[in-house]
């Protein structure tokens, strides 16, 4: 039996926009460009061209990420660092 995994934790902050005008965010020290998907959700791009898609179209506040942590660890399916970091950063934006 596997040991229970601790919840994902960390820090997030908005940074200056990228040269192409896209918003940038730092999650646990890693910088991502944030793209909003027309179909619902977001894409987080790392400098090394790795991309994580966060789907927000499931309803009931459920967000899903396609990172390996979310895909292969059921207890983090909706709570990987990308989902938690982006949710926290979006809540901090002045609307």
């Amino acid at each position: 039996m596997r040991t229970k995994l601790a919840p994902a934790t960390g820090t997030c902050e908005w940074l200056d926009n990228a040269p192409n005008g896209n918003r940038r965010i730092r999650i646990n020290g890693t910088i991502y460009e944030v793209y909003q998907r027309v179909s619902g959700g977001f894409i987080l791009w790392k400098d090394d061209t790795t991309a994580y898609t966060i789907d927000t179209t499931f309803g009931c506040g459920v967000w899903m990420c396609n990172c390996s942590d979310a895909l292969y660890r059921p207890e983090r399916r909706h709570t990987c660092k990308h989902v938690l970091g982006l949710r926290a950063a979006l809540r901090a934006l002045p609307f």
Side-chain angles (χ1 to χ4, degrees), residues 11-50:
T11 61
C12 64
E13 66 178 316
W14 288 108
L15 304 172
D16 292 334
N17 288 354
N20 61 8
N22 289 320
R23 296 296 307 254
R24 294 186 318 143
I25 188 173
R26 183 185 340 241
I27 300 173
N28 291 353
T30 302
I31 297 172
Y32 303 89
E33 281 190 37
V34 180
Y35 296 82
Q36 189 164 9
R37 297 172 57 204
V38 174
S39 60
F42 300 89
I43 299 174
L44 301 179
W45 284 90
K46 285 179 18 179
D47 287 341
D48 68 0
T49 69
T50 301

